[in-house]
Amino acid sequence: MMQDVTAPTSNILTQYAAPPACTLVIFGGGGDLTKRLLVPSLYDLAESQTLPQTFSLIGVDRTAMESGTWRDGLRQMIESFTQDPDAEFSATSIDDAAWGRLFANARYIAGDFTQPALFETLRDALGDGNAIFYLAVPARFFGGIVTRLGEAGLLAEQEGGAFRRVVIEKPFGHDLASARELDATLLHQGREAQFYRIDHFLGKETVQSIMALRFANGMFEPVWRQEYIDHIQITAAETVGVEQRGAFYEVTGALRDMVPNHLFTILCMIAMEPPNILTPEAVREEKAKLLQAIRVLAPEDYVRGQYTAGSINGADVPGYREEPNVSPDSTTETYAAMKLHIDNWRWGGVPFYLRTGKRMQARQTEIAIFFKQAPHRLFANAPSHGLTNIVRLLIDPVHGIQMHFDVKKPGPGIDLASVYNSFRYDDFFPKTANVGYETLLYDCMAGDPMLFQRSDAIEEAWRIVDDVLKQEKSQPEPYAAGTLGPKDADDLLARDGRAWLPVGDQRRRTAEA
């Protein structure tokens, strides 16, 4: 296949200038997120020489250890990733010069997140330079850490205009009331522009490319509306279970964990209006307006499921209630599906079906846009096999786009055949060093909030699902691990004369392409 002569080099960020000097303080510096995603992403930035020329890293956590021990442990972890073909980190070896740039000015500080003494130590270490505080900690610590940062003067405007920013991981609240409470805490200590609410889905190149697909191609945008589109399906399916996260998942569930952040992030990209100009606030304004137009989720349009024991890829796996730290009579959902309505001129009457689940038949994240059939069916009596008039945006694990349509089968008579063509990123672009946080970390250091969520958008997302969250939890419908999900989810579409695309279908079709 012909390669694009403008294809990027092996690191996606080599073409960008380094951001201004800063110190990155990671609360939770000894935690899993730091080891698996943040440090590998920072290494990729260092390898591409896209870190600030003057950069310092401070890890903060409650466990006492020496700075050298902390660095050595991170080095061992990242080296183990180079030997793991399934790791998100793609490098096969560690460049000592890049590692040196990352850790040349690095230290570890042990302390209690709830005590003022830790923040006084940080104030002395930072002086009046640029600083970013990354909250890679459980959500229960978010408000307290920001409050103590503010009380210690660490979020105040610095002499010479140095910036102070805070990166907050999801979940941002666990319902509408708690999201509003957390927002009030943040805005009591700083300005909205200082807070970067991160969703790693927006770090995926395939998600960011949705705007380019829609707004840079005249063949798509004119038909991206209710006159031509029948419905849209958004799927985020996983084969993994809750693993060792049972205690977290018991109080969270699939709806809170995936929908107001990840799935609504994708929904905004696929359904927002085109901004008048490509600036952070213009883009974020259109996303907020889109969420404001979504009708509150009705109970009859919501399905909950929970996986039971089954088999995935030939291996037996336990049910959710047999997982560690899970109640044997748990009513927590591991699967959520819903039908949403957007009340605006573009999407009035077009249903959006969203689903997410653990222990499903295949790992798959995609958006499927189903176009309406031609109004006059000249070939209404001709046999047609398969699915047609669909554009599928493949986000994970396959990265690309598929278009499905009908053609005449060769031979006498008029029989139709469903065919498709595929674009895959790997066919046109080299595999990039991209864990998924590189762009987000770079943008935060550069002061570009386009890919981060604004407080009003966060609150609108919780508004949509708040009513069903408040309802007394009934028993979720069981579905066997390794299947397509609960029957009620199929019925949700069947009552409208529609059906879900099979999970795992993209892998088979792409392999055949």
Side-chain angles (χ1 to χ4, degrees):
M1 180 175 290
M2 182 178 295
Q3 295 281 325
D4 184 344
V5 296
T6 63
T9 58
S10 60
N11 196 300
I12 58 175
L13 290 161
T14 52
Q15 60 186 301
Y16 296 103
C22 74
T23 297
L24 176 63
V25 180
I26 302 178
F27 288 91
D32 190 55
L33 176 62
T34 300
K35 296 173 182 176
R36 288 189 308 105
L37 296 172
L38 297 184
V39 168
S41 297
L42 289 168
Y43 170 83
D44 284 339
L45 292 173
E47 194 275 332
S48 67
Q49 303 201 34
T50 320
L51 277 180
Q53 293 297 316
T54 301
F55 177 76
S56 299
L57 181 64
I58 298 177
V60 178
D61 220 322
R62 290 170 290 180
T63 303
M65 73 174 85
E66 297 295 326
S67 294
T69 304
W70 177 63
R71 290 193 299 266
D72 292 345
L74 292 172
R75 175 74 182 237
Q76 291 172 9
M77 177 68 75
I78 200 170
E79 284 181 343
S80 73
F81 294 154
T82 66
Q83 308 302 314
D84 182 359
D86 295 324
E88 295 179 84
F89 183 63
S90 60
T92 57
S93 63
I94 302 301
D95 179 75
D96 288 334
W99 187 262
R101 285 192 292 274
L102 176 57
F103 279 94
N105 299 298
R107 61 180 291 196
Y108 178 87
I109 298 176
D112 187 338
F113 303 154
T114 67
Q115 297 301 313
L118 170 61
F119 299 86
E120 293 170 6
T121 301
L122 278 176
R123 185 177 58 210
D124 294 339
L126 292 171
D128 58 2
N130 295 326
I132 297 171
F133 304 98
Y134 199 115
L135 308 191
V137 296
R140 66 181 183 274
F141 292 111
F142 291 170
I145 289 176
V146 170
T147 295
R148 288 173 182 84
L149 286 170
E151 291 173 348
L154 289 167
L155 298 180
E157 294 289 346
Q158 301 298 302
E159 191 173 331
F163 63 73
R164 294 295 168 91
R165 298 171 186 148
V166 181
V167 181
I168 303 174
E169 277 281 344
K170 65 100 174 172
F172 194 89
H174 60 270
D175 57 15
L176 179 58
S178 60
R180 285 174 171 166
E181 182 180 356
L182 182 53
D183 271 330
T185 298
L186 302 187
L187 297 179
H188 184 68
Q189 302 297 337
R191 297 175 293 106
E192 168 67 26
Q194 292 178 270
F195 299 105
Y196 286 62
R197 301 167 186 84
I198 195 168
D199 182 348
H200 74 266
F201 262 46
L202 278 173
K204 296 178 181 291
E205 285 293 319
T206 44
V207 174
Q208 294 178 44
S209 70
I210 294 172
M211 279 206 303
L213 175 76
R214 289 186 56 194
F215 303 140
N217 296 289
M219 70 178 73
F220 290 119
E221 183 57 23
V223 296
W224 216 262
R225 58 189 65 251
Q226 49 92 5
E227 292 91 340
Y228 301 98
I229 292 178
D230 178 77
H231 74 283
I232 291 176
Q233 297 180 15
I234 300 176
T235 297
E238 301 176 275
T239 55
V240 298
V242 296
E243 309 301 327
Q244 302 302 312
R245 301 169 69 230
F248 163 79
Y249 214 81
E250 274 288 84
V251 296
T252 306
L255 178 60
R256 284 188 172 94
D257 189 40
M258 291 291 293
V259 176
N261 39 69
H262 298 329
L263 294 194
F264 282 1
T265 289
I266 296 175
L267 176 59
C268 284
M269 299 292 277
I270 207 68
M272 62 184 277
E273 292 296 318
N276 291 328
I277 186 172
L278 197 61
T279 62
E281 283 313 304
V283 171
R284 299 207 297 176
E285 182 65 23
E286 294 302 335
K287 290 180 181 179
K289 287 163 61 177
L290 187 280
L291 290 168
Q292 290 166 9
I294 299 177
R295 205 179 301 171
V296 170
L297 176 60
E300 61 270 20
D301 290 334
Y302 174 51
V303 172
R304 303 169 71 244
Q306 185 186 90
Y307 67 82
T308 59
S311 176
I312 296 179
N313 297 325
D316 292 338
V317 296
Y320 175 71
R321 295 179 181 179
E322 289 79 54
E323 300 279 17
N325 300 313
V326 171
S327 170
D329 57 357
S330 173
T331 60
T332 298
E333 80 281 354
T334 62
Y335 178 102
M338 63 198 65
K339 174 183 177 182
L340 294 177
H341 303 271
I342 302 177
D343 293 327
N344 63 15
W345 286 101
R346 181 184 292 267
W347 297 114
V350 177
F352 284 70
Y353 301 100
L354 281 60
R355 61 176 166 172
T356 181
K358 291 188 174 294
R359 290 288 192 215
M360 293 185 68
Q361 179 173 283
R363 171 179 153 219
Q364 177 173 319
T365 302
E366 75 163 47
I367 307 160
I369 299 98
F370 287 71
F371 286 84
K372 294 179 179 179
Q373 298 289 333
H376 178 49
R377 297 283 289 165
L378 290 175
F379 303 101
N381 296 322
S384 177
H385 308 284
L387 299 166
T388 61
N389 294 298
I390 307 171
V391 173
R392 301 173 72 176
L393 310 184
L394 311 180
I395 296 172
D396 187 62
V398 179
H399 308 146
I401 301 168
Q402 289 182 357
M403 298 181 66
H404 299 246
F405 49 93
D406 270 340
V407 298
K408 179 187 176 298
K409 291 179 66 173
I414 303 179
D415 285 352
L416 301 181
S418 298
V419 299
Y420 63 91
N421 62 4
S422 295
F423 152 71
R424 291 180 293 177
Y425 275 82
D426 291 347
D427 290 337
F428 281 81
F429 304 105
K431 185 176 177 61
T432 59
N434 187 2
V435 174
Y437 277 74
E438 290 88 348
T439 298
L440 298 171
L441 288 167
Y442 175 88
D443 285 352
C444 185
M445 288 185 273
D448 184 347
M450 183 181 294
L451 298 179
F452 297 84
Q453 296 178 292
R454 217 167 57 183
S455 61
D456 56 343
I458 292 278
E459 293 183 17
E460 286 296 334
W462 283 118
R463 173 193 61 81
I464 296 163
V465 300
D466 203 50
D467 282 359
V468 296
L469 285 173
K470 290 177 178 176
Q471 291 182 348
E472 183 178 351
K473 294 295 183 277
S474 59
Q475 290 290 340
E477 184 187 3
Y479 64 97
T483 64
L484 298 177
K487 181 180 180 299
D488 283 355
D490 295 330
D491 294 342
L492 180 66
L493 272 70
R495 73 190 191 199
D496 297 335
R498 303 183 176 102
W500 294 107
L501 283 179
V503 173
D505 186 55
Q506 58 157 258
R507 306 182 93 175
R508 177 181 63 81
R509 289 180 178 274
T510 304
E512 295 170 353

